[in-house]
């Protein structure tokens, strides 16, 4: 299979392109190829409309913010089936698994727990361990994915500390019933089937989408009994409906349901996610439009871990989170190029979790405003701010300003400065957990730690108090200030952008040891103390020598450090043992690598080749990540060059090719991780078990019927 696919790559590389008239998007129809140049440019510009950056429709090419747009054409041709997969191929973004195995996305070195994820502009919930699992999001009904980098709390509030990912679903445009039915098979018995239906009937549109994914998954430790990742199956069902009630009113309604089960009998692990979204768009005049929105979401998990030999329940964890959010907003055009936006809303959130002593609820109110102005031709300034009042932490004010100036028709400079915040979550405030199955350690949330310590002392379980300073004091919201400065050059076949960034964080919340139990286990609590920063540069290039061929590439240089650790190293109080000489050395600044799970260098190279004459296309994508450390193993609380926890740098090559038959049938084949990279995990507990960080090569084939 591997040699056959390599042969296909070579074959496609030398096929004649014929007469083509393509646009920036691939998969062009014969009708599109006959359009005049001006029509093609206009269509390309319409495809670049983005909503997330300003919560209004804006051309991507005119925005003063660092934004990435991933179109449906790129998603489809890549052969990816989950949002996490396609995001991992973008510049400055890396998929990172948290302690629960959930896949979140790291942006500009900022952890996934500080990235807000939206579907059609409303937030997803379900961060049981901090990250929001993007692998639960199917992509079969996605129009485009928009990513805004840097603090965005001025529009979106908490969790938008480091950026926003907005998944835009497809809006039907055809008056005939259209859709697709597809089935994809891949290595590890990975089976994916989906069905989509779309139609526009006069002033009404509807779309339905269903997806099923199952897999035997993979084993990263073949020498050990059982599988590293349990087999699972999941189901996604979504619907979307719009209706023009009159010339001034339009209603939008959508629903999504996700269910997942892991095959770990006799243990049990299930996950469900429900989203209901209702919005009324009101346009009383050409200058004014209003939106009235109501959103409800419910995320639940149910876990029971049972000893297979004794059939004894070891651990149980139920998680039931709900969010209800009404919001109203309006946009008013003061002049043709100036827009004032305002909005207000209310969040009511509850969580019932086994690890909490009682059900918990939050509520908050917020108001935001934004002024988008163009003082002169080629000069755009956006000023915005948001005020959040929360029941569990101090109110927050989050301003942001960004600007863009077109020096010439081909060259522009843009920059932004903004603040972000993340409220303490349920876990950090109310967790009351003792791990009886592994070490007997205890973790208390901030609101229950004082009562928890008192109870343990009364029971005679405390051997020694370590640090109770600030016991019971409220946690502060984590905050950041982000800076971006970019330069854009576009002319003819070449498109390029370079962006310098800096993100400063303070009051980050992390665990600390409160006390030691009589059995030797620790008692942990949460506290504000970390000060970190990430800074670097991102470069994106795209070159289109002719309409059927596109080369693109991206590179990120990243530095991510803890300021407190830098101070300790400068003071000469941090030491490490040199494994070669066995001597204890005082660390210098050059020995400090930085934050864990951050690579200094990441890059991607992509080639997309379109063959309209054959109704076929092919692409190859190379994703590179330099070495990174997984943990501090020498006990000095710093990831340094003497730690033996580094994963070596690696490159993953993905390939896909697709051809249309009989007008409506598409056959796609491809390989993810073409050269079978597996790597090894340096912090695995059993080094003899050949624990890997990648399952290796995955071959897939997909048959799609469009109607």
């Amino acid at each position: 299979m591997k040699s056959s696919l390599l042969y296909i790559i070579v074959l496609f590389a030398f096929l004649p392109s014929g007469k083509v008239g393509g646009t920036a998007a691939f998969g062009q129809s014969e009708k599109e190829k006959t359009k005049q140049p001006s029509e093609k440019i206009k269509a390309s510009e319409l495809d670049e409309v983005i909503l997330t950056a300003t919560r209004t429709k804006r051309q991507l090419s005119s925005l003063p913010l660092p934004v990435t747009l991933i179109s449906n054409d790129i998603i489809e041709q890549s052969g990816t089936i989950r949002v996490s997969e396609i995001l991992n191929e973008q510049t400055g973004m890396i998929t990172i698994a948290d302690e629960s195995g959930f896949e979140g996305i790291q942006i500009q070195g900022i952890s996934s727990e500080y990235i807000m994820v939206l579907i059609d502009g409303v937030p997803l919930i379900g961060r049981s361990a901090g990250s929001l699992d993007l692998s639960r999001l199917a992509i079969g009904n996605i129009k485009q994915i928009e990513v805004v980098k840097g603090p965005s709390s001025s529009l979106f509030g908490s969790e938008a500390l480091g950026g926003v990912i907005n998944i835009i679903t497809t809006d039907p445009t055809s008056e005939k019933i259209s859709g697709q039915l597809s089935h994809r098979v891949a290595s590890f018995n990975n089976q994916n089937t989906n069905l989509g239906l779309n139609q526009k009937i006069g002033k009404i549109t509807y779309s339905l989408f269903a997806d099923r994914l199952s897999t035997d998954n993979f084993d990263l430790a073949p020498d050990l009994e059982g599988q590293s990742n349990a087999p699972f199956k999941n189901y996604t069902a979504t619907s979307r409906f719009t209706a023009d009630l009159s010339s001034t009113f339009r209603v939008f309604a959508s629903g999504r349901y996700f269910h997942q089960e892991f095959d770990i009998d006799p243990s049990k692990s299930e996950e469900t996610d429900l989203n209901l979204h209702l919005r009324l768009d009101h346009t009383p005049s050409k200058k004014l439009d209003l939106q009235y929105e109501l959103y409800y979401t419910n995320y639940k998990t149910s876990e029971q871990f049972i000893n297979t030999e004794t059939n004894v329940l070891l651990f149980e964890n139920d998680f039931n989170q709900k969010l209800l959010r009404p919001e109203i907003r309006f946009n008013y055009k003061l002049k043709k190029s100036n827009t004032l936006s305002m909005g207000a809303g209310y969040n009511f959130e509850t969580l019932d979790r086994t690890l909490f002593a009682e059900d918990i609820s939050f509520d908050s109110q917020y108001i935001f405003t934004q002024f988008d102005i163009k003082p002169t031709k080629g000069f755009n300034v956006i000023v915005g701010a948001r005020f959040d009042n929360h029941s569990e932490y101090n109110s927050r004010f989050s301003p942001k300003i960004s600007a863009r100036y077109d020096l010439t028709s081909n060259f522009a400079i843009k920059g932004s400065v903004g603040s972000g915040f993340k409220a303490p979550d349920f876990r950090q405030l109310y967790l009351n957990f003792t791990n009886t199955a592994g070490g007997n350690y205890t973790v208390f949330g901030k609101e229950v730690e004082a009562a928890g310590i008192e109870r343990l002392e009364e029971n005679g379980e405390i051997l020694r108090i370590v640090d109770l300073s600030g016991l019971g004091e409220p946690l502060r919201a984590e905050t950041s200030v982000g800076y971006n400065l970019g330069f854009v050059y576009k002319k003819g076949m070449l498109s390029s952008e370079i962006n310098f960034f800096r993100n400063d964080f303070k009051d980050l919340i992390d665990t600390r040891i409160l006390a030691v139990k009589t059995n030797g286990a620790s008692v942990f609590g949460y506290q504000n103390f970390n000060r970190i920063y990430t800074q670097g540069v991102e470069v994106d290039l795209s070159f289109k020598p002719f309409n059927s061929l596109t080369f693109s590439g991206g590179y990120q240089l990243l530095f991510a450090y803890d300021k407190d650790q830098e101070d300790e190293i400068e003071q000469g109080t941090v030491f490490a043992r040199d494994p070669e000489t066995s001597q204890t050395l005082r660390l210098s600044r050059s020995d400090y690598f930085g934050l864990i799970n951050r690579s200094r260098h990441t890059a991607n190279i992509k080639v997309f080749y379109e063959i309209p004459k054959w109704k076929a296309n092919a692409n190859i994508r190379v994703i590179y990540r330099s070495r990174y450390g997984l943990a501090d193993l020498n006990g000095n609380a710093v990831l340094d060059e003497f730690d033996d926890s580094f994963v070596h740098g690696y490159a993953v090559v993905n390939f896909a090719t697709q051809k249309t038959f009989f007008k409506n049938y598409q056959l796609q084949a491809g390989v993810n991780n073409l050269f079978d990279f597996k790597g090894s995990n340096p912090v695995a507990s059993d080094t003899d078990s050949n624990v890997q960080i990648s399952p290796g090569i995955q071959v897939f084939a997909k048959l799609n019927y469009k109607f």
Side-chain angles (χ1 to χ4, degrees), residues 125-128 299-300 318-323 349-354 356 358-362 425-427 430:
I125 61 173
R127 299 173 182 265
S128 59
Y299 175 83
K300 295 192 294 186
D318 292 334
F319 184 100
N320 187 355
Q321 184 179 6
K322 299 176 182 178
L323 169 66
E349 192 173 2
T350 64
L351 178 59
D352 177 12
R353 187 173 187 180
T354 306
F356 293 171
E358 57 185 25
D359 294 357
I360 308 299
S361 65
F362 287 169
D425 59 32
F426 290 106
R427 171 177 53 97
Y430 297 104

Side-chain angles (χ1 to χ4, degrees), residues 60-61 63-67 403-405 412-416 484-488 497-499:
L60 174 63
S61 59
L63 283 170
L65 301 165
V67 177
R404 176 188 174 108
Y405 184 62
I413 180 173
K414 60 183 183 179
S416 65
N484 285 272
L485 176 64
F487 302 89
V488 182
E497 182 168 349
I498 182 170
N499 181 60

Side-chain angles (χ1 to χ4, degrees), residues 470-537:
L471 189 70
E473 291 182 0
L475 287 175
R476 298 182 298 276
E478 301 170 284
T479 61
S480 73
V481 177
Y483 311 86
N484 285 272
L485 176 64
F487 302 89
V488 182
Y489 179 79
K490 293 184 179 181
K491 186 174 182 180
M493 300 177 291
L494 178 65
S495 175
S496 62
E497 182 168 349
I498 182 170
N499 181 60
F500 298 90
F501 63 88
R502 165 93 180 199
N503 297 286
D504 281 286
F505 300 82
K506 68 176 183 178
D507 290 334
L508 292 191
I509 299 170
D510 206 344
T511 57
R512 61 165 179 163
I513 298 178
L514 301 174
V516 177
K517 294 183 180 181
T518 53
N519 61 8
S522 296
V523 180
F524 296 93
Y526 290 95
Q527 182 177 333
N528 295 100
F529 57 84
N530 279 355
R531 300 177 302 140
I532 71 169
Y533 65 92
T534 69
Q535 65 182 22
V537 60

